[in-house]
């Protein structure tokens, strides 16, 4: 298995994309720290993974809190003695419309999506540098690459990509790799409130994607495991678009323009 004798921390690991990343790492032999602000959700997933023969344990942590991040890292070290991979996945339900957004909403988006990864990287990097190896994978978004709404979330994810590149360059010679994944729309529980209002929202969104579907948590997990694996040993400072082709362009828009120009 690719990740035997490997310890992986996944923030926001208790549900959605993070939960699938945890499951997949455990299936590949890793000891997985399921870190989440929702302690019961993290424990349920750790128990599920353990029941399937994997190794996982829950750590409750708000990644925007320096003390909790430090405690998270200390607990992981006390259990496994090492940190080989950090997956910065924790995120906040994004607010929308700059003029309608409160300062508190802005600060929370940035705190979880940008300050959190900074704190987690800062916490685990000394351990990785002391061993001469380590991998950082940050879950960003296509929102960092273009306008798709959610201004605070988008700005934070753009900052996360910049931070990832900086770490990759600064510490690459010391055995550290850092990459980001720019995700498109992924069907997770975070969409529940919107689906309750607009049941067909994900089906409508799928029409804008060249592959004609939105993503599944497994799509993100496959990319995260690849970037963390030895197969990606010469990839660092990269932003992998896992977005069904959305950032490549819009065939739907182009088709409409072509029809218009032919009139």
């Amino acid at each position: 298995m690719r990740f035997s004798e490997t310890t992986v921390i996944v923030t926001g690991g208790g549900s959605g994309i993070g939960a699938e990343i945890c499951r997949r790492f455990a299936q590949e032999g890793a000891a997985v720290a399921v870190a989440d602000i929702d302690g019961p959700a993290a424990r349920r997933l750790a128990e599920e993974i353990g029941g399937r023969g994997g190794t996982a344990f829950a750590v409750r942590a708000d990644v925007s809190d320096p003390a909790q991040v430090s405690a998270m890292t200390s607990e992981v070290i006390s259990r496994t003695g090492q940190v080989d991979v950090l997956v910065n996945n924790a995120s906040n339900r994004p607010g929308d419309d700059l003029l309608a957004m409160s300062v508190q909403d802005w600060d929370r988006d940035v705190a979880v999506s940008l300050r959190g990864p900074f704190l987690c990287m800062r916490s685990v990097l000394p351990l990785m540098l002391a061993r001469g190896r380590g991998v950082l994978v940050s879950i960003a978004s296509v929102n960092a690459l273009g306008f798709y709404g959610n201004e605070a979330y988008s700005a934070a994810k753009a900052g996360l990509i910049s931070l990832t590149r900086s770490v990759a360059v600064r510490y690459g010679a010391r055995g550290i790799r850092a990459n980001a994944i720019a995700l498109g729309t992924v069907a997770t529980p975070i969409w529940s409130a919107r689906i309750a209002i607009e049941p067909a929202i994900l089906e409508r969104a799928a029409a804008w994607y060249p592959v004609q579907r939105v993503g599944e948590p497994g799509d993100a997990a496959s990319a995260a495991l690849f970037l963390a694996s030895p197969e990606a040993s010469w990839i660092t400072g990269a932003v992998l678009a896992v977005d069904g082709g959305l950032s490549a362009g819009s065939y739907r828009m182009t088709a409409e323009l072509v029809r218009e120009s032919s009139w």
Side-chain angles (χ1 to χ4, degrees):
M1 292 186 283
R2 286 186 293 177
F3 296 101
S4 59
E5 300 183 5
T6 298
T7 297
V8 180
I9 299 175
V10 181
T11 67
S15 65
I17 293 167
E20 188 60 22
I21 291 172
C22 288
R23 293 186 186 102
R24 293 281 294 277
F25 270 114
Q27 289 169 7
E28 294 266 8
V32 181
V34 184
D36 204 292
I37 195 171
D38 185 342
R43 287 192 294 274
R44 286 192 297 271
L45 182 65
E47 290 169 0
E48 174 198 315
I49 290 171
R52 296 179 178 180
T55 301
F57 55 93
V59 184
R60 188 194 177 283
D62 178 347
V63 297
S64 69
D65 184 326
Q68 292 190 40
V69 169
S70 179
M72 173 191 75
T73 303
S74 295
E75 182 168 349
V76 174
I77 291 300
S78 71
R79 286 176 175 265
T80 69
Q82 64 194 61
V83 178
D84 301 284
V85 179
L86 167 67
V87 180
N88 287 308
N89 170 72
S91 193
N92 198 41
R93 178 178 284 113
D96 201 10
D97 189 344
L98 194 67
L99 295 179
M101 182 180 297
S102 70
V103 172
Q104 291 76 17
D105 288 340
W106 174 278
D107 287 347
R108 185 59 184 167
D109 271 353
V110 175
V112 176
S113 294
L114 182 55
R115 174 175 167 156
F118 154 68
L119 292 173
C120 291
M121 289 180 183
R122 188 181 67 167
S123 185
V124 305
L125 267 171
L127 306 167
M128 293 178 171
L129 291 168
R131 301 178 70 214
R133 64 181 185 276
V135 180
L136 309 171
V137 179
S138 293
I139 306 301
S141 171
V142 292
N143 287 55
L145 309 177
F147 177 69
Y148 299 99
N150 309 124
E151 285 91 332
Y153 172 85
S154 302
K157 291 299 188 180
L160 179 56
I161 286 175
S162 179
L163 177 62
T164 298
R165 287 172 168 157
S166 298
V167 169
V169 174
R170 183 178 292 275
Y171 299 110
R174 299 178 64 182
I176 305 302
R177 291 193 301 108
N179 293 291
I181 298 171
L183 288 180
T185 304
V186 177
T188 67
I190 202 169
W191 283 92
S192 299
R194 182 72 180 273
I195 290 171
I197 300 170
E198 300 179 66
I201 182 63
L202 293 181
E203 288 76 9
R204 288 201 296 112
W208 292 97
Y209 285 82
V211 299
Q212 294 293 286
R213 71 171 178 88
V214 298
E216 297 293 337
D219 297 314
S222 294
L225 265 71
F226 166 68
L227 289 174
S229 74
E231 286 91 340
S233 63
W234 211 49
I235 300 175
T236 195
V239 181
L240 176 61
V242 180
D243 66 352
L246 181 66
S247 60
S250 172
Y251 179 77
R252 179 175 173 179
M253 180 182 73
T254 302
E256 290 180 6
L257 290 173
V258 169
R259 283 198 299 271
E260 288 179 7
S261 66
S262 64
W263 291 348

